[in-house]
Amino acid sequence: MNRLIRPLPLLVLLALSLVIAGVNAARTGILAKDLASTGSTLLPKGVKAAGFPEVMAALSNKSAILLDVRPEKTYKEGHLPGALSLPYDILPQRLEALKLNANDHYILYCDGGDCHSSRNAARVLSGFGFSHLAVYEGGWEEYASRTANPGAKR
């Protein structure tokens, strides 16, 4: 009998923590099926998703500044025309050097697919006061596959 009573407080604590976690997930609206259906993490609050048409429009009318958050070496191998290099792994240092205006419109991208660097960079930029951010979820992969000149560097 004594053996059964010892683990009881642990089981109660575990059950209570599972209930609390479930309540918090329901309150925030984040459910496991929602994350699974998107295949990726959610965009940070206030950050919009940009598709290929929005990126092409921004390129033609210069309505947003493109930020490539992939590593510098990858950027040099090919990037969207006019994109600035802002590698996620050195973002704070590069951000200071670029002297970007927090009120301008920016579209961030990385490789696309399973790459989440653009979302993570958007979170960081939001923390620095940038409020007009969008993430091009198709990223370099989609752009390169849908354009005639995928290695464009302008």
Side-chain angles (χ1 to χ4, degrees):
M1 179 76 175
N2 214 5
R3 286 182 151 180
L4 292 175
I5 295 175
R6 276 191 175 153
L8 189 60
L10 280 171
L11 291 174
V12 170
L13 185 60
L14 178 63
L16 185 59
S17 63
L18 289 174
V19 168
I20 291 170
V23 168
N24 284 338
R27 189 179 329 150
T28 60
I30 299 173
L31 302 173
K33 67 177 180 133
D34 294 333
L35 292 174
S37 68
T38 63
S40 61
T41 60
L42 299 173
L43 289 172
K45 184 177 180 181
V47 175
K48 298 176 182 173
F52 184 76
E54 290 86 3
V55 170
M56 295 308 288
L59 285 171
S60 68
N61 63 27
K62 303 200 183 322
S63 59
I65 298 165
L66 298 171
L67 298 176
D68 186 328
V69 300
R70 301 173 303 154
E72 184 75 26
K73 180 181 180 222
T74 309
Y75 170 85
K76 288 179 179 178
E77 292 170 358
H79 55 270
L80 276 71
L84 300 175
S85 177
L86 185 64
Y88 176 68
D89 58 345
I90 59 168
L91 192 148
Q93 300 92 324
R94 182 64 63 90
L95 185 61
E96 187 175 314
L98 288 175
K99 298 190 184 322
L100 300 175
N101 183 338
N103 294 315
D104 286 342
H105 293 264
Y106 296 95
I107 298 176
L108 293 79
Y109 73 93
C110 53
D111 284 323
D114 291 335
C115 178
H116 302 297
S117 295
S118 53
R119 285 183 181 87
N120 295 335
R123 267 188 204 86
V124 172
L125 290 176
S126 291
F128 280 109
F130 287 74
S131 57
H132 305 288
L133 301 172
V135 169
Y136 175 31
E137 295 184 329
W140 175 251
E141 289 176 2
E142 180 180 47
Y143 176 81
S145 71
R146 294 182 68 171
T147 59
N149 187 10
K153 299 179 192 178
R154 294 184 200 151

PDB file of all heavy atoms in Angstrom, residues 55 58-59 62 64-70 72 75-76 78-86 94 98 100 106-110 136 140 143 152-154:
ATOM      1  N   VAL A  55       5.495  39.745 -53.868  1.00  0.00           N
ATOM      2  CA  VAL A  55       6.933  39.975 -54.031  1.00  0.00           C
ATOM      3  C   VAL A  55       7.218  40.561 -55.411  1.00  0.00           C
ATOM      4  O   VAL A  55       7.986  41.523 -55.535  1.00  0.00           O
ATOM      5  CB  VAL A  55       7.732  38.672 -53.797  1.00  0.00           C
ATOM      6  CG1 VAL A  55       9.183  38.827 -54.206  1.00  0.00           C
ATOM      7  CG2 VAL A  55       7.623  38.256 -52.331  1.00  0.00           C
ATOM      8  N   ALA A  58       6.198  44.159 -55.398  1.00  0.00           N
ATOM      9  CA  ALA A  58       7.170  44.973 -54.649  1.00  0.00           C
ATOM     10  C   ALA A  58       8.430  45.205 -55.482  1.00  0.00           C
ATOM     11  O   ALA A  58       9.017  46.285 -55.428  1.00  0.00           O
ATOM     12  CB  ALA A  58       7.525  44.295 -53.330  1.00  0.00           C
ATOM     13  N   LEU A  59       8.827  44.202 -56.254  1.00  0.00           N
ATOM     14  CA  LEU A  59       9.999  44.359 -57.116  1.00  0.00           C
ATOM     15  C   LEU A  59       9.737  45.392 -58.216  1.00  0.00           C
ATOM     16  O   LEU A  59      10.607  46.203 -58.529  1.00  0.00           O
ATOM     17  CB  LEU A  59      10.397  43.025 -57.756  1.00  0.00           C
ATOM     18  CG  LEU A  59      11.094  42.025 -56.848  1.00  0.00           C
ATOM     19  CD1 LEU A  59      11.231  40.678 -57.542  1.00  0.00           C
ATOM     20  CD2 LEU A  59      12.465  42.547 -56.428  1.00  0.00           C
ATOM     21  N   LYS A  62       8.655  48.924 -56.289  1.00  0.00           N
ATOM     22  CA  LYS A  62       9.542  49.288 -55.174  1.00  0.00           C
ATOM     23  C   LYS A  62       8.770  49.732 -53.930  1.00  0.00           C
ATOM     24  O   LYS A  62       9.142  50.688 -53.246  1.00  0.00           O
ATOM     25  CB  LYS A  62      10.545  50.332 -55.612  1.00  0.00           C
ATOM     26  CG  LYS A  62      11.374  49.892 -56.798  1.00  0.00           C
ATOM     27  CD  LYS A  62      12.631  50.681 -56.932  1.00  0.00           C
ATOM     28  CE  LYS A  62      13.459  50.312 -58.150  1.00  0.00           C
ATOM     29  NZ  LYS A  62      13.555  48.977 -58.562  1.00  0.00           N
ATOM     30  N   ALA A  64       8.353  47.888 -51.248  1.00  0.00           N
ATOM     31  CA  ALA A  64       8.932  47.297 -50.042  1.00  0.00           C
ATOM     32  C   ALA A  64      10.403  46.996 -50.297  1.00  0.00           C
ATOM     33  O   ALA A  64      10.828  46.816 -51.434  1.00  0.00           O
ATOM     34  CB  ALA A  64       8.194  46.010 -49.663  1.00  0.00           C
ATOM     35  N   ILE A  65      11.159  46.943 -49.229  1.00  0.00           N
ATOM     36  CA  ILE A  65      12.571  46.586 -49.291  1.00  0.00           C
ATOM     37  C   ILE A  65      12.674  45.103 -48.974  1.00  0.00           C
ATOM     38  O   ILE A  65      12.125  44.633 -47.970  1.00  0.00           O
ATOM     39  CB  ILE A  65      13.379  47.421 -48.279  1.00  0.00           C
ATOM     40  CG1 ILE A  65      13.257  48.909 -48.627  1.00  0.00           C
ATOM     41  CG2 ILE A  65      14.834  46.975 -48.244  1.00  0.00           C
ATOM     42  CD1 ILE A  65      13.709  49.849 -47.524  1.00  0.00           C
ATOM     43  N   LEU A  66      13.357  44.363 -49.833  1.00  0.00           N
ATOM     44  CA  LEU A  66      13.520  42.928 -49.634  1.00  0.00           C
ATOM     45  C   LEU A  66      14.746  42.668 -48.759  1.00  0.00           C
ATOM     46  O   LEU A  66      15.819  43.223 -48.999  1.00  0.00           O
ATOM     47  CB  LEU A  66      13.678  42.215 -50.971  1.00  0.00           C
ATOM     48  CG  LEU A  66      12.485  42.345 -51.912  1.00  0.00           C
ATOM     49  CD1 LEU A  66      12.822  41.791 -53.286  1.00  0.00           C
ATOM     50  CD2 LEU A  66      11.280  41.631 -51.342  1.00  0.00           C
ATOM     51  N   LEU A  67      14.565  41.822 -47.751  1.00  0.00           N
ATOM     52  CA  LEU A  67      15.650  41.460 -46.851  1.00  0.00           C
ATOM     53  C   LEU A  67      15.895  39.957 -46.933  1.00  0.00           C
ATOM     54  O   LEU A  67      15.024  39.158 -46.591  1.00  0.00           O
ATOM     55  CB  LEU A  67      15.322  41.849 -45.404  1.00  0.00           C
ATOM     56  CG  LEU A  67      15.122  43.333 -45.129  1.00  0.00           C
ATOM     57  CD1 LEU A  67      14.704  43.556 -43.677  1.00  0.00           C
ATOM     58  CD2 LEU A  67      16.389  44.112 -45.453  1.00  0.00           C
ATOM     59  N   ASP A  68      17.069  39.580 -47.399  1.00  0.00           N
ATOM     60  CA  ASP A  68      17.474  38.182 -47.499  1.00  0.00           C
ATOM     61  C   ASP A  68      18.160  37.814 -46.192  1.00  0.00           C
ATOM     62  O   ASP A  68      19.223  38.345 -45.872  1.00  0.00           O
ATOM     63  CB  ASP A  68      18.447  38.035 -48.678  1.00  0.00           C
ATOM     64  CG  ASP A  68      18.821  36.595 -48.978  1.00  0.00           C
ATOM     65  OD1 ASP A  68      18.885  35.774 -48.041  1.00  0.00           O
ATOM     66  OD2 ASP A  68      19.078  36.296 -50.151  1.00  0.00           O
ATOM     67  N   VAL A  69      17.556  36.927 -45.413  1.00  0.00           N
ATOM     68  CA  VAL A  69      18.098  36.583 -44.099  1.00  0.00           C
ATOM     69  C   VAL A  69      18.923  35.295 -44.124  1.00  0.00           C
ATOM     70  O   VAL A  69      19.300  34.785 -43.078  1.00  0.00           O
ATOM     71  CB  VAL A  69      16.982  36.517 -43.020  1.00  0.00           C
ATOM     72  CG1 VAL A  69      16.280  37.851 -42.887  1.00  0.00           C
ATOM     73  CG2 VAL A  69      16.002  35.404 -43.300  1.00  0.00           C
ATOM     74  N   ARG A  70      19.239  34.813 -45.329  1.00  0.00           N
ATOM     75  CA  ARG A  70      20.086  33.630 -45.448  1.00  0.00           C
ATOM     76  C   ARG A  70      21.545  34.016 -45.173  1.00  0.00           C
ATOM     77  O   ARG A  70      21.890  35.198 -45.183  1.00  0.00           O
ATOM     78  CB  ARG A  70      19.962  33.031 -46.858  1.00  0.00           C
ATOM     79  CG  ARG A  70      18.524  32.621 -47.194  1.00  0.00           C
ATOM     80  CD  ARG A  70      18.380  32.182 -48.636  1.00  0.00           C
ATOM     81  NE  ARG A  70      18.817  33.241 -49.547  1.00  0.00           N
ATOM     82  CZ  ARG A  70      19.275  33.021 -50.774  1.00  0.00           C
ATOM     83  NH1 ARG A  70      19.366  31.794 -51.249  1.00  0.00           N
ATOM     84  NH2 ARG A  70      19.630  34.035 -51.531  1.00  0.00           N
ATOM     85  N   GLU A  72      25.421  34.972 -45.605  1.00  0.00           N
ATOM     86  CA  GLU A  72      26.064  35.838 -46.601  1.00  0.00           C
ATOM     87  C   GLU A  72      26.538  35.061 -47.826  1.00  0.00           C
ATOM     88  O   GLU A  72      26.353  35.495 -48.969  1.00  0.00           O
ATOM     89  CB  GLU A  72      27.243  36.577 -45.954  1.00  0.00           C
ATOM     90  CG  GLU A  72      27.932  37.567 -46.860  1.00  0.00           C
ATOM     91  CD  GLU A  72      27.131  38.848 -47.056  1.00  0.00           C
ATOM     92  OE1 GLU A  72      26.331  39.200 -46.181  1.00  0.00           O
ATOM     93  OE2 GLU A  72      27.318  39.487 -48.097  1.00  0.00           O
ATOM     94  N   TYR A  75      23.612  34.240 -49.995  1.00  0.00           N
ATOM     95  CA  TYR A  75      23.154  35.481 -50.630  1.00  0.00           C
ATOM     96  C   TYR A  75      24.007  35.781 -51.856  1.00  0.00           C
ATOM     97  O   TYR A  75      23.494  36.133 -52.923  1.00  0.00           O
ATOM     98  CB  TYR A  75      23.227  36.628 -49.615  1.00  0.00           C
ATOM     99  CG  TYR A  75      23.008  38.004 -50.197  1.00  0.00           C
ATOM    100  CD1 TYR A  75      21.727  38.514 -50.368  1.00  0.00           C
ATOM    101  CD2 TYR A  75      24.090  38.806 -50.562  1.00  0.00           C
ATOM    102  CE1 TYR A  75      21.525  39.793 -50.891  1.00  0.00           C
ATOM    103  CE2 TYR A  75      23.895  40.081 -51.082  1.00  0.00           C
ATOM    104  CZ  TYR A  75      22.612  40.569 -51.249  1.00  0.00           C
ATOM    105  OH  TYR A  75      22.419  41.821 -51.769  1.00  0.00           O
ATOM    106  N   LYS A  76      25.322  35.649 -51.729  1.00  0.00           N
ATOM    107  CA  LYS A  76      26.235  35.946 -52.834  1.00  0.00           C
ATOM    108  C   LYS A  76      26.057  34.989 -54.012  1.00  0.00           C
ATOM    109  O   LYS A  76      26.341  35.342 -55.156  1.00  0.00           O
ATOM    110  CB  LYS A  76      27.682  35.918 -52.353  1.00  0.00           C
ATOM    111  CG  LYS A  76      28.016  37.118 -51.483  1.00  0.00           C
ATOM    112  CD  LYS A  76      29.443  37.078 -50.994  1.00  0.00           C
ATOM    113  CE  LYS A  76      29.742  38.304 -50.139  1.00  0.00           C
ATOM    114  NZ  LYS A  76      31.104  38.282 -49.601  1.00  0.00           N
ATOM    115  N   GLY A  78      23.216  33.969 -55.099  1.00  0.00           N
ATOM    116  CA  GLY A  78      22.010  34.388 -55.807  1.00  0.00           C
ATOM    117  C   GLY A  78      20.978  34.906 -54.839  1.00  0.00           C
ATOM    118  O   GLY A  78      20.831  34.358 -53.748  1.00  0.00           O
ATOM    119  N   HIS A  79      20.317  35.991 -55.220  1.00  0.00           N
ATOM    120  CA  HIS A  79      19.291  36.589 -54.359  1.00  0.00           C
ATOM    121  C   HIS A  79      18.291  37.349 -55.229  1.00  0.00           C
ATOM    122  O   HIS A  79      18.543  37.585 -56.408  1.00  0.00           O
ATOM    123  CB  HIS A  79      19.923  37.514 -53.321  1.00  0.00           C
ATOM    124  CG  HIS A  79      20.794  38.576 -53.909  1.00  0.00           C
ATOM    125  ND1 HIS A  79      22.133  38.395 -54.130  1.00  0.00           N
ATOM    126  CD2 HIS A  79      20.521  39.830 -54.341  1.00  0.00           C
ATOM    127  CE1 HIS A  79      22.659  39.481 -54.667  1.00  0.00           C
ATOM    128  NE2 HIS A  79      21.685  40.374 -54.806  1.00  0.00           N
ATOM    129  N   LEU A  80      17.180  37.711 -54.628  1.00  0.00           N
ATOM    130  CA  LEU A  80      16.175  38.489 -55.340  1.00  0.00           C
ATOM    131  C   LEU A  80      16.761  39.852 -55.702  1.00  0.00           C
ATOM    132  O   LEU A  80      17.556  40.405 -54.941  1.00  0.00           O
ATOM    133  CB  LEU A  80      14.920  38.665 -54.490  1.00  0.00           C
ATOM    134  CG  LEU A  80      13.914  37.509 -54.535  1.00  0.00           C
ATOM    135  CD1 LEU A  80      14.410  36.292 -53.825  1.00  0.00           C
ATOM    136  CD2 LEU A  80      12.590  37.952 -53.992  1.00  0.00           C
ATOM    137  N   PRO A  81      16.385  40.374 -56.868  1.00  0.00           N
ATOM    138  CA  PRO A  81      16.935  41.659 -57.313  1.00  0.00           C
ATOM    139  C   PRO A  81      16.718  42.762 -56.278  1.00  0.00           C
ATOM    140  O   PRO A  81      15.612  42.953 -55.780  1.00  0.00           O
ATOM    141  CB  PRO A  81      16.146  41.962 -58.594  1.00  0.00           C
ATOM    142  CG  PRO A  81      15.665  40.636 -59.068  1.00  0.00           C
ATOM    143  CD  PRO A  81      15.443  39.821 -57.831  1.00  0.00           C
ATOM    144  N   GLY A  82      17.791  43.451 -55.943  1.00  0.00           N
ATOM    145  CA  GLY A  82      17.716  44.572 -55.020  1.00  0.00           C
ATOM    146  C   GLY A  82      17.658  44.206 -53.552  1.00  0.00           C
ATOM    147  O   GLY A  82      17.629  45.080 -52.694  1.00  0.00           O
ATOM    148  N   ALA A  83      17.622  42.921 -53.241  1.00  0.00           N
ATOM    149  CA  ALA A  83      17.520  42.502 -51.840  1.00  0.00           C
ATOM    150  C   ALA A  83      18.785  42.863 -51.070  1.00  0.00           C
ATOM    151  O   ALA A  83      19.898  42.793 -51.595  1.00  0.00           O
ATOM    152  CB  ALA A  83      17.270  41.002 -51.748  1.00  0.00           C
ATOM    153  N   LEU A  84      18.590  43.268 -49.818  1.00  0.00           N
ATOM    154  CA  LEU A  84      19.706  43.531 -48.923  1.00  0.00           C
ATOM    155  C   LEU A  84      20.003  42.264 -48.132  1.00  0.00           C
ATOM    156  O   LEU A  84      19.096  41.510 -47.788  1.00  0.00           O
ATOM    157  CB  LEU A  84      19.360  44.656 -47.949  1.00  0.00           C
ATOM    158  CG  LEU A  84      19.006  46.014 -48.559  1.00  0.00           C
ATOM    159  CD1 LEU A  84      18.575  46.981 -47.460  1.00  0.00           C
ATOM    160  CD2 LEU A  84      20.169  46.567 -49.343  1.00  0.00           C
ATOM    161  N   SER A  85      21.276  42.048 -47.842  1.00  0.00           N
ATOM    162  CA  SER A  85      21.669  40.890 -47.051  1.00  0.00           C
ATOM    163  C   SER A  85      21.598  41.238 -45.567  1.00  0.00           C
ATOM    164  O   SER A  85      22.251  42.172 -45.102  1.00  0.00           O
ATOM    165  CB  SER A  85      23.092  40.463 -47.426  1.00  0.00           C
ATOM    166  OG  SER A  85      23.501  39.376 -46.612  1.00  0.00           O
ATOM    167  N   LEU A  86      20.775  40.473 -44.846  1.00  0.00           N
ATOM    168  CA  LEU A  86      20.629  40.635 -43.401  1.00  0.00           C
ATOM    169  C   LEU A  86      20.607  39.239 -42.773  1.00  0.00           C
ATOM    170  O   LEU A  86      19.567  38.754 -42.340  1.00  0.00           O
ATOM    171  CB  LEU A  86      19.337  41.402 -43.081  1.00  0.00           C
ATOM    172  CG  LEU A  86      19.082  41.775 -41.633  1.00  0.00           C
ATOM    173  CD1 LEU A  86      20.126  42.747 -41.112  1.00  0.00           C
ATOM    174  CD2 LEU A  86      17.689  42.365 -41.480  1.00  0.00           C
ATOM    175  N   ARG A  94      24.399  43.383 -38.181  1.00  0.00           N
ATOM    176  CA  ARG A  94      24.158  43.870 -39.536  1.00  0.00           C
ATOM    177  C   ARG A  94      23.062  44.933 -39.539  1.00  0.00           C
ATOM    178  O   ARG A  94      23.119  45.883 -40.303  1.00  0.00           O
ATOM    179  CB  ARG A  94      23.779  42.703 -40.452  1.00  0.00           C
ATOM    180  CG  ARG A  94      23.532  43.042 -41.905  1.00  0.00           C
ATOM    181  CD  ARG A  94      24.762  43.585 -42.639  1.00  0.00           C
ATOM    182  NE  ARG A  94      25.840  42.657 -42.719  1.00  0.00           N
ATOM    183  CZ  ARG A  94      26.022  41.774 -43.703  1.00  0.00           C
ATOM    184  NH1 ARG A  94      25.163  41.710 -44.685  1.00  0.00           N
ATOM    185  NH2 ARG A  94      27.049  40.976 -43.682  1.00  0.00           N
ATOM    186  N   LEU A  98      23.304  48.548 -41.391  1.00  0.00           N
ATOM    187  CA  LEU A  98      22.425  48.921 -42.511  1.00  0.00           C
ATOM    188  C   LEU A  98      21.632  50.196 -42.237  1.00  0.00           C
ATOM    189  O   LEU A  98      21.159  50.845 -43.171  1.00  0.00           O
ATOM    190  CB  LEU A  98      21.462  47.777 -42.841  1.00  0.00           C
ATOM    191  CG  LEU A  98      22.064  46.561 -43.518  1.00  0.00           C
ATOM    192  CD1 LEU A  98      21.010  45.453 -43.664  1.00  0.00           C
ATOM    193  CD2 LEU A  98      22.646  46.905 -44.874  1.00  0.00           C
ATOM    194  N   LEU A 100      18.551  50.708 -41.139  1.00  0.00           N
ATOM    195  CA  LEU A 100      17.224  50.624 -41.744  1.00  0.00           C
ATOM    196  C   LEU A 100      16.227  51.482 -40.980  1.00  0.00           C
ATOM    197  O   LEU A 100      16.309  51.622 -39.761  1.00  0.00           O
ATOM    198  CB  LEU A 100      16.745  49.172 -41.755  1.00  0.00           C
ATOM    199  CG  LEU A 100      17.622  48.182 -42.521  1.00  0.00           C
ATOM    200  CD1 LEU A 100      17.088  46.771 -42.350  1.00  0.00           C
ATOM    201  CD2 LEU A 100      17.694  48.555 -43.992  1.00  0.00           C
ATOM    202  N   TYR A 106       9.037  46.150 -45.295  1.00  0.00           N
ATOM    203  CA  TYR A 106      10.055  45.134 -45.567  1.00  0.00           C
ATOM    204  C   TYR A 106       9.400  43.783 -45.841  1.00  0.00           C
ATOM    205  O   TYR A 106       8.408  43.424 -45.199  1.00  0.00           O
ATOM    206  CB  TYR A 106      11.006  44.990 -44.374  1.00  0.00           C
ATOM    207  CG  TYR A 106      11.796  46.238 -44.095  1.00  0.00           C
ATOM    208  CD1 TYR A 106      11.357  47.158 -43.142  1.00  0.00           C
ATOM    209  CD2 TYR A 106      12.965  46.522 -44.790  1.00  0.00           C
ATOM    210  CE1 TYR A 106      12.066  48.320 -42.885  1.00  0.00           C
ATOM    211  CE2 TYR A 106      13.685  47.680 -44.543  1.00  0.00           C
ATOM    212  CZ  TYR A 106      13.232  48.576 -43.586  1.00  0.00           C
ATOM    213  OH  TYR A 106      13.926  49.724 -43.344  1.00  0.00           O
ATOM    214  N   ILE A 107       9.995  43.051 -46.778  1.00  0.00           N
ATOM    215  CA  ILE A 107       9.615  41.662 -47.016  1.00  0.00           C
ATOM    216  C   ILE A 107      10.865  40.831 -46.754  1.00  0.00           C
ATOM    217  O   ILE A 107      11.894  41.029 -47.393  1.00  0.00           O
ATOM    218  CB  ILE A 107       9.105  41.428 -48.448  1.00  0.00           C
ATOM    219  CG1 ILE A 107       7.846  42.245 -48.715  1.00  0.00           C
ATOM    220  CG2 ILE A 107       8.848  39.926 -48.676  1.00  0.00           C
ATOM    221  CD1 ILE A 107       7.321  42.148 -50.151  1.00  0.00           C
ATOM    222  N   LEU A 108      10.769  39.923 -45.799  1.00  0.00           N
ATOM    223  CA  LEU A 108      11.889  39.067 -45.435  1.00  0.00           C
ATOM    224  C   LEU A 108      11.730  37.709 -46.099  1.00  0.00           C
ATOM    225  O   LEU A 108      10.613  37.202 -46.227  1.00  0.00           O
ATOM    226  CB  LEU A 108      11.936  38.863 -43.917  1.00  0.00           C
ATOM    227  CG  LEU A 108      12.268  40.071 -43.065  1.00  0.00           C
ATOM    228  CD1 LEU A 108      11.070  40.972 -42.893  1.00  0.00           C
ATOM    229  CD2 LEU A 108      12.767  39.622 -41.715  1.00  0.00           C
ATOM    230  N   TYR A 109      12.845  37.131 -46.501  1.00  0.00           N
ATOM    231  CA  TYR A 109      12.789  35.780 -47.059  1.00  0.00           C
ATOM    232  C   TYR A 109      14.050  35.006 -46.721  1.00  0.00           C
ATOM    233  O   TYR A 109      15.091  35.579 -46.422  1.00  0.00           O
ATOM    234  CB  TYR A 109      12.558  35.808 -48.569  1.00  0.00           C
ATOM    235  CG  TYR A 109      13.747  36.247 -49.392  1.00  0.00           C
ATOM    236  CD1 TYR A 109      14.636  35.310 -49.907  1.00  0.00           C
ATOM    237  CD2 TYR A 109      13.984  37.586 -49.662  1.00  0.00           C
ATOM    238  CE1 TYR A 109      15.725  35.706 -50.665  1.00  0.00           C
ATOM    239  CE2 TYR A 109      15.070  37.987 -50.414  1.00  0.00           C
ATOM    240  CZ  TYR A 109      15.943  37.046 -50.919  1.00  0.00           C
ATOM    241  OH  TYR A 109      17.033  37.436 -51.660  1.00  0.00           O
ATOM    242  N   CYS A 110      13.908  33.687 -46.755  1.00  0.00           N
ATOM    243  CA  CYS A 110      15.045  32.786 -46.609  1.00  0.00           C
ATOM    244  C   CYS A 110      14.922  31.766 -47.735  1.00  0.00           C
ATOM    245  O   CYS A 110      14.470  32.118 -48.830  1.00  0.00           O
ATOM    246  CB  CYS A 110      15.113  32.158 -45.214  1.00  0.00           C
ATOM    247  SG  CYS A 110      13.610  31.334 -44.638  1.00  0.00           S
ATOM    248  N   TYR A 136       7.999  36.355 -46.954  1.00  0.00           N
ATOM    249  CA  TYR A 136       7.766  35.632 -48.202  1.00  0.00           C
ATOM    250  C   TYR A 136       8.040  34.166 -47.924  1.00  0.00           C
ATOM    251  O   TYR A 136       9.178  33.722 -47.887  1.00  0.00           O
ATOM    252  CB  TYR A 136       8.672  36.180 -49.300  1.00  0.00           C
ATOM    253  CG  TYR A 136       8.623  35.441 -50.627  1.00  0.00           C
ATOM    254  CD1 TYR A 136       7.472  34.805 -51.066  1.00  0.00           C
ATOM    255  CD2 TYR A 136       9.746  35.403 -51.439  1.00  0.00           C
ATOM    256  CE1 TYR A 136       7.437  34.149 -52.277  1.00  0.00           C
ATOM    257  CE2 TYR A 136       9.721  34.755 -52.656  1.00  0.00           C
ATOM    258  CZ  TYR A 136       8.573  34.128 -53.073  1.00  0.00           C
ATOM    259  OH  TYR A 136       8.532  33.470 -54.275  1.00  0.00           O
ATOM    260  N   TRP A 140      13.500  31.901 -51.484  1.00  0.00           N
ATOM    261  CA  TRP A 140      14.372  31.790 -52.652  1.00  0.00           C
ATOM    262  C   TRP A 140      13.977  30.611 -53.543  1.00  0.00           C
ATOM    263  O   TRP A 140      13.999  30.719 -54.767  1.00  0.00           O
ATOM    264  CB  TRP A 140      15.831  31.658 -52.211  1.00  0.00           C
ATOM    265  CG  TRP A 140      16.747  31.430 -53.353  1.00  0.00           C
ATOM    266  CD1 TRP A 140      17.411  30.281 -53.659  1.00  0.00           C
ATOM    267  CD2 TRP A 140      17.091  32.360 -54.390  1.00  0.00           C
ATOM    268  NE1 TRP A 140      18.143  30.436 -54.806  1.00  0.00           N
ATOM    269  CE2 TRP A 140      17.960  31.714 -55.273  1.00  0.00           C
ATOM    270  CE3 TRP A 140      16.729  33.682 -54.654  1.00  0.00           C
ATOM    271  CZ2 TRP A 140      18.490  32.334 -56.396  1.00  0.00           C
ATOM    272  CZ3 TRP A 140      17.262  34.293 -55.783  1.00  0.00           C
ATOM    273  CH2 TRP A 140      18.127  33.628 -56.631  1.00  0.00           C
ATOM    274  N   TYR A 143      10.975  31.607 -55.722  1.00  0.00           N
ATOM    275  CA  TYR A 143      11.360  32.652 -56.669  1.00  0.00           C
ATOM    276  C   TYR A 143      12.219  32.064 -57.792  1.00  0.00           C
ATOM    277  O   TYR A 143      11.965  32.313 -58.974  1.00  0.00           O
ATOM    278  CB  TYR A 143      12.111  33.782 -55.957  1.00  0.00           C
ATOM    279  CG  TYR A 143      12.602  34.829 -56.925  1.00  0.00           C
ATOM    280  CD1 TYR A 143      11.731  35.811 -57.391  1.00  0.00           C
ATOM    281  CD2 TYR A 143      13.903  34.817 -57.397  1.00  0.00           C
ATOM    282  CE1 TYR A 143      12.162  36.765 -58.302  1.00  0.00           C
ATOM    283  CE2 TYR A 143      14.341  35.764 -58.306  1.00  0.00           C
ATOM    284  CZ  TYR A 143      13.468  36.723 -58.757  1.00  0.00           C
ATOM    285  OH  TYR A 143      13.896  37.655 -59.676  1.00  0.00           O
ATOM    286  N   ALA A 152      19.528  36.023 -60.366  1.00  0.00           N
ATOM    287  CA  ALA A 152      19.606  37.477 -60.485  1.00  0.00           C
ATOM    288  C   ALA A 152      20.248  38.108 -59.265  1.00  0.00           C
ATOM    289  O   ALA A 152      19.920  37.784 -58.139  1.00  0.00           O
ATOM    290  CB  ALA A 152      18.215  38.057 -60.696  1.00  0.00           C
ATOM    291  N   LYS A 153      21.201  38.999 -59.537  1.00  0.00           N
ATOM    292  CA  LYS A 153      21.883  39.731 -58.461  1.00  0.00           C
ATOM    293  C   LYS A 153      21.942  41.171 -58.884  1.00  0.00           C
ATOM    294  O   LYS A 153      22.797  41.552 -59.686  1.00  0.00           O
ATOM    295  CB  LYS A 153      23.288  39.215 -58.250  1.00  0.00           C
ATOM    296  CG  LYS A 153      23.397  37.778 -57.863  1.00  0.00           C
ATOM    297  CD  LYS A 153      24.858  37.425 -57.727  1.00  0.00           C
ATOM    298  CE  LYS A 153      25.053  35.944 -57.627  1.00  0.00           C
ATOM    299  NZ  LYS A 153      26.439  35.559 -57.541  1.00  0.00           N
ATOM    300  N   ARG A 154      21.052  41.981 -58.411  1.00  0.00           N
ATOM    301  CA  ARG A 154      21.064  43.408 -58.794  1.00  0.00           C
ATOM    302  C   ARG A 154      21.092  44.274 -57.580  1.00  0.00           C
ATOM    303  O   ARG A 154      20.663  43.958 -56.546  1.00  0.00           O
ATOM    304  CB  ARG A 154      19.819  43.732 -59.628  1.00  0.00           C
ATOM    305  CG  ARG A 154      19.849  43.025 -60.945  1.00  0.00           C
ATOM    306  CD  ARG A 154      18.654  43.443 -61.769  1.00  0.00           C
ATOM    307  NE  ARG A 154      18.459  42.411 -62.773  1.00  0.00           N
ATOM    308  CZ  ARG A 154      17.310  42.104 -63.295  1.00  0.00           C
ATOM    309  NH1 ARG A 154      16.224  42.720 -62.938  1.00  0.00           N
ATOM    310  NH2 ARG A 154      17.215  41.177 -64.192  1.00  0.00           N
TER     311      ARG A 154
END
